[in-house]
Amino acid sequence: MKPAANPAPNPALGPAPSPASTLVRELENYAVEELELQRRLLTALREQEAALFHGDMAAIREGVQRFDAALRGAPQRAARRGELLRRMAQQFRVSPKSLTLTSICARLGPDGVGLARQATELREATQAVSAATRRLGALARLHVRLNGELLAAVLGGEGAGAMPAGALPAQGRGAAANQAAFRSDHPPLHGLLLDAQA
Amino acid sequence: MSSLGLNTGLKALLAAQARLETIGHNVSNATTPGYSRQTLEVANSGSIFLHGVLTGTGVEAQVVRRTVDLLVQARLATQTSTVSRLETRVSTLSQAENLFAAGSAGGLGQLFKKFFASLTSLSATPEDKSLAANAVSGASDIASKFNLLSSGAGDLAADAVQRVKNEVGVVNQLAERISRLNAQILATEPGGAPANDLRDQREQALQELAQFTDVRAVEDERGAVRVLVGGQSLVSTVGFQRLEVVTNSPTDVSVRLKGSNVDAAIAGGSIGGLLGVLAEFLPGLRDNADQLAHEFILEMNRVHSTGMPAGGPQSSLVGSNALQDLDGDGQVTDELLAQAGLPFEVKDGELFVNVTHLASGTVSKHGIPIDAARTTVGDLVNALSAVPNLGASIDGQGRLQLQADSGFGFDFSTRLDTTPDAVGSFGGGPATLGTPAAGPFALAIGDTLDFSGPLGPFSVAFQPQQFQSIGQATAAEMAAVLNADGNFQANGLTASDVGGALVVQTSTGGPAQSFTLTGGTAVAALGWTAGSFAQGQNLQVSPVISGAYTGGANGVWTFRPSGDGTIGTTAGLQVDVFDERGARVARLDVGAGYQPGTELVVADGVKVAFGLGNLSATNHDQFRLDVLADSDTSDLLPALGLGGLFVGSDAATIGVRADILESPELLATSKSGAAGDAGNLLRMLQLGEDAVAGLGGQSFTAHYAEVSGGVSLELASAQDAAESESFLQQSLAAQRDQVSGVNVDEELARMIEAQQAYSAAGEYIRVINDLTAELMNIL
């Protein structure tokens, strides 16, 4: 494939920036914005984790709202990122799918030092978000599962013939018996957590 | 750092699960009796220095605690005990009220009215057998109702006793359970965690215990409770004791710790309520029924036994109450009447029995004095047997039985003796000389009376052994001495006691019959005059009594002429009537102008008619008439159950006499035996209104209404108390639920809210994860 012709430089404006350097600046701007977003997400994730730890429903709801705000515009950012990578790939006459920020910096050489620094920070932040997301995801799934089992146990008995033993209050059965029966229906939490990690 | 983070997350998850489990446990036990809401206490699990930084290590579930207010729990137990006691009382009183309902159709009050109404109907035509049967049926209904009241009160007591026994068994089970829970709590809590559910179970057992008895529970510092019931230790910190029921009688029990000889003073709970009604209420109820029945039997039988059936006198009667050999010597006859085990009191008084010659209608009235402290059963039998043409004996069951000779009947009515001058001492045919006054006479030892008769003069001497007290010689004693004398008999003379006066007569009448009292040392003591001459006559005045005595008290009237003369002929001849105190009751003109045989009104409904004949005031002509308001002032007849309408002596034993049930015409409707006489029915009717001394001056209906009303009042009072105390109990229970109860809606809402939040968070996390993964691909 033949590279596309660049527009002629304008002498009145001084030496015209090369298309590559313009793209690099746009990528640097994108990286800065993405980094900010990842940091906000990380903060929101940690707060949400704390809210889950403490069972603070109000904090959980606030955290969800913060997620919502943080993720607002994510499709536009993804589209913008794709466009930048497409143009950069055109510049380098390679497939867009073969480019990463790291490979772009390598191709840019000295011109990519700044972008490389930002890419490193973004990678670290993204890895932190990813780790927090995994942990929080496991936590949320466990909560959902536990709570769901409890709800199924409690509500499932209304009008239904079958119900988990001990899940519903039974006339004549003591509290201790109910408690024992309830515990027998629920596997130990340690096992659940290990399952989630696996 | 990642390891620490994982550990922190694990702790948080454990805490979260513990919280959820606590919520689930609360929801599961929301309706478990006695369950107390539990809450999880969560605390920071501490911090550590990591890389020089003080780092938190998350949260930990510390302890699950019961949410209880011990003061409210204790007050609730006390209140439960109070309410249970009152509700038990209300239950028993309600049954008693149904039993004693005065106004209901089958109530005793209505049966009284029905019975007295049937007597009213019968009184119009006392010979009507169907009306008599109706009246007897009414009496039988009353007796049956009394029986029902007695058995009902007994059943209430028996039920209460059985309930006490059953509930003591439950109390013992609860004591065992509390003791076992004490041991489990003591074994569990030293580990540090409160044994919440065990404590809830123990508290529930204590609350259950409070339903049966008053409970005082004291917890020691280790967590074991000591339970005091009725002031005695039922559960100690190391064990428990059992309660047992001590049966004092089929309807009287007490409760005590097994092996103890002291009753537990249980005042609260259902057992306290039952013991209370057993000790205080039910005996009074039964006593009231018995007292009312006792007085009803006594009063009705007093009247009935002294009346007469429309068919006239009876030929035989058997008492319904047995005389008892209380001194155990094998014979009843030596027992005093007042101490012969009779169910009604025998008093000092007099019993009059009338014996009627059925063919002629001639009636002889005989009074038998009764001294309750002296008269024995044997004395009574002898006195009755001494009545001409009447026999008395004690049957094999200890009952007195009377039998009239063939052709004779007897009764105990107040009817007047229509021919009171049986001996003819008032203008009769025999020559007669009477003492001017009734005895006793102050004779001296060896005093004499000298007579001159058809065979010549003779003398009769009086010796001390012939009298109980010769200085207080009675006419009867003197007559006995004279009648035993051979010369007296040989001269055709006879002596008799006429109302306390001594009367000497010839055995036969007619002008040829005469004798003279010639003298003797006893003449003055008898008020006689030496030389008194008596001659018989062909005519006989033969007074005839009619009417019915309406006076209020028993009396003895003596009729004496004011002078000598002939009935209907001698001008100014009068007959004076004196009572037993010597007061003149009436003066009757029987001289010229009086038509012999004409009835003259004496007083109080009594009338007399005199036949043609001569009267002698000089020779002290006289006759005696017993006027009776009550022919049994000793109450001997109701005590013996002789001639009554009812048998038995209390609510349990009352019944209508079997022969009257079979033949209602034996109902004693009459006072005189005359056709159409409903006098005795009217006396019975009056009993419906009369004040009865044994009932505190109340009538039967008024007394029963008071007893019945008392039960209703007691019930209303107990109901009011139970209602207000129950309200307080509900308030305390609400307070307890507010503190300790589980609101399932709240708990479920909390869980659903959490589920939605977790789900939403998870969804966002998934999106973030996807975006992050995408981002990582281009880094």
Side-chain angles (χ1 to χ4, degrees), chain B residues 375-392:
Chain B
T375 308
T376 65
V377 173
D379 292 338
L380 175 68
V381 170
N382 292 335
L384 286 167
S385 295
V387 173
N389 304 305
L390 186 67

Side-chain angles (χ1 to χ4, degrees), chain A:
Chain A
M1 176 185 274
K2 186 177 179 180
N6 287 326
N10 186 353
L13 297 177
S18 68
S21 63
T22 303
L23 268 175
V24 168
R25 276 197 296 279
E26 287 185 32
L27 273 172
E28 285 175 348
N29 290 340
Y30 162 75
V32 167
E33 286 178 23
E34 193 66 53
L35 183 59
E36 285 299 316
L37 172 64
Q38 293 302 314
R39 284 173 176 163
R40 283 202 306 275
L41 272 177
L42 189 58
T43 301
L45 286 166
R46 284 175 176 163
E47 287 173 352
Q48 186 66 303
E49 191 174 336
L52 285 174
F53 286 169
H54 291 94
D56 185 339
M57 290 302 126
I60 292 172
R61 278 194 297 272
E62 286 174 14
V64 169
Q65 287 169 359
R66 276 196 294 276
F67 286 149
D68 189 51
L71 295 176
R72 203 172 297 141
Q76 289 81 1
R77 277 197 303 278
R80 183 179 162 206
R81 183 178 66 218
E83 174 60 19
L84 286 171
L85 288 177
R86 188 190 62 74
R87 285 166 57 194
M88 191 58 80
Q90 196 174 37
Q91 190 73 34
F92 293 142
R93 294 187 176 84
V94 294
S95 167
K97 290 183 179 176
S98 65
L99 288 180
T100 64
L101 285 183
T102 305
S103 66
I104 290 169
C105 291
R107 288 172 190 268
L108 291 175
D111 291 340
V113 171
L115 181 60
R117 188 173 59 249
Q118 287 163 340
T120 301
E121 288 182 23
L122 182 56
R123 186 180 301 109
E124 289 174 354
T126 305
Q127 284 173 342
V129 166
S130 180
T133 303
R134 281 199 304 277
R135 192 163 66 242
L136 193 56
L139 188 59
R141 282 194 300 277
L142 284 173
H143 275 300
V144 167
R145 177 178 165 186
L146 285 172
N147 217 32
E149 286 179 0
L150 269 176
L151 280 170
V154 173
L155 298 177
E158 292 181 356
M163 67 183 84
L168 272 182
Q171 291 292 345
R173 190 167 68 186
N178 276 331
Q179 192 172 38
F182 176 83
R183 281 180 176 148
S184 73
D185 296 336
H186 293 74
L189 187 59
H190 297 282
L192 289 177
L193 186 61
L194 291 173
D195 290 346
Q197 286 177 327

Side-chain angles (χ1 to χ4, degrees), chain B residues 426-750:
Chain B
F426 186 84
T432 301
L433 176 64
T435 57
F441 308 104
L443 298 185
I445 297 171
D447 269 352
T448 58
L449 282 177
D450 300 334
F451 296 94
S452 176
L455 300 181
F458 63 92
S459 180
V460 179
F462 298 98
Q463 303 303 329
Q465 66 270 19
Q466 296 166 324
F467 301 89
Q468 193 165 11
S469 169
I470 194 168
Q472 295 282 312
T474 65
E477 288 172 323
M478 291 193 70
V481 173
L482 290 170
N483 288 332
D485 185 85
N487 289 322
F488 197 78
Q489 294 174 16
N491 280 277
L493 298 179
T494 181
S496 56
D497 170 9
V498 176
L502 177 66
V503 174
V504 176
Q505 299 172 288
T506 56
S507 305
T508 57
Q513 303 297 316
S514 65
F515 70 91
T516 304
L517 175 68
T518 56
T521 55
V523 168
L526 293 169
W528 276 333
T529 305
S532 295
F533 173 75
Q535 184 178 15
Q537 61 177 324
N538 285 328
L539 299 171
Q540 293 186 48
V541 173
S542 298
V544 174
I545 302 293
S546 59
Y549 177 62
T550 57
N554 290 356
V556 180
W557 290 351
T558 303
F559 292 69
R560 298 175 185 274
S562 59
D564 294 353
T566 302
I567 296 283
T569 302
T570 306
L573 183 63
Q574 295 177 314
V575 172
D576 289 324
V577 184
F578 301 96
D579 67 13
E580 64 279 5
R581 294 184 300 275
R584 191 165 61 199
V585 176
R587 169 164 282 182
L588 309 172
D589 292 323
V590 296
Y594 171 72
Q595 182 66 36
T598 305
E599 284 184 340
L600 296 172
V601 174
V602 182
D604 294 333
V606 179
K607 289 177 277 191
V608 64
F610 299 101
L612 182 59
N614 299 313
L615 294 176
S616 172
T618 305
N619 283 0
H620 310 293
D621 280 4
Q622 57 189 290
F623 74 91
R624 162 186 158 158
L625 177 69
D626 290 308
V627 287
L628 301 177
D630 180 0
S631 54
D632 178 20
T633 53
S634 63
D635 280 347
L636 189 64
L637 296 176
L640 292 167
L642 205 60
L645 171 58
F646 293 100
V647 297
S649 60
D650 55 26
T653 57
I654 185 175
V656 173
R657 217 174 80 198
D659 56 342
I660 293 179
L661 270 179
E662 195 174 329
S663 306
E665 65 273 18
L666 291 178
L667 195 66
T669 55
S670 165
K671 280 179 75 176
S672 64
D677 177 12
N680 214 44
L681 285 175
L682 298 177
R683 288 174 71 203
M684 283 193 257
L685 270 174
Q686 187 60 37
L687 286 178
E689 306 295 331
D690 280 353
V692 179
L695 298 176
Q698 292 179 310
S699 68
F700 296 119
T701 50
H703 183 77
Y704 182 71
E706 185 177 281
V707 171
S708 174
V711 173
S712 296
L713 196 64
E714 190 89 14
L715 173 61
S717 170
Q719 282 173 328
D720 285 348
E723 193 176 337
S724 59
E725 296 291 350
S726 179
F727 180 75
L728 184 55
Q729 184 196 28
Q730 289 166 18
S731 170
L732 286 169
Q735 284 182 43
R736 180 206 173 279
D737 288 346
Q738 201 170 11
V739 174
S740 304
V742 176
N743 186 322
V744 176
D745 290 342
E746 282 182 10
E747 301 281 353
L748 284 177
R750 202 173 299 156

Side-chain angles (χ1 to χ4, degrees), chain B residues 35-109:
Chain B
Y35 179 77
S36 299
R37 181 166 53 87
Q38 297 180 6
T39 54
L40 178 69
E41 290 185 5
V42 179
N44 290 328
S45 59
S47 302
I48 60 171
F49 274 98
L50 194 64
H51 308 303
V53 178
L54 188 63
T55 306
T57 60
V59 293
E60 280 183 339
Q62 293 289 305
V63 66
V64 178
R65 291 198 187 281
R66 295 158 70 223
T67 310
V68 293
D69 184 330
L70 294 177
L71 184 61
V72 170
Q73 300 271 42
R75 287 180 60 199
L76 183 58
T78 303
Q79 198 59 26
T80 298
S81 175
T82 301
V83 170
S84 183
R85 173 179 63 80
L86 288 168
E87 286 179 344
T88 302
R89 188 173 178 80
V90 166
S91 169
T92 307
L93 290 176
S94 296
Q95 295 174 59
E97 191 194 39
N98 289 336
L99 196 61
F100 275 74
S104 66
L108 190 55

Side-chain angles (χ1 to χ4, degrees), chain B residues 388-407:
Chain B
N389 304 305
L390 186 67
S393 61
I394 305 296
D395 71 3
Q397 298 176 47
R399 300 174 303 181
L400 179 71
Q401 58 182 12
L402 295 175
Q403 178 74 48
D405 291 346
S406 178

Side-chain angles (χ1 to χ4, degrees), chain A residues 175-176 179, chain B residues 25 33-36 38 64-68 70 73 177-178 180-190 192-207 218-225 736 740:
Chain A
Q179 192 172 38
Chain B
H25 190 50
Y35 179 77
S36 299
Q38 297 180 6
V64 178
R65 291 198 187 281
R66 295 158 70 223
T67 310
V68 293
L70 294 177
Q73 300 271 42
R177 193 199 304 175
I178 292 167
R180 192 172 62 244
L181 288 165
N182 264 348
Q184 291 174 338
I185 289 168
L186 288 177
T188 304
E189 295 198 337
N196 292 324
D197 292 338
L198 293 173
R199 281 176 172 270
D200 274 350
Q201 290 174 47
R202 188 176 66 186
E203 181 59 38
Q204 176 63 15
L206 285 168
Q207 294 290 343
V218 183
E219 183 174 331
D220 70 7
E221 66 281 356
R222 297 176 306 152
V225 292
R736 180 206 173 279
S740 304

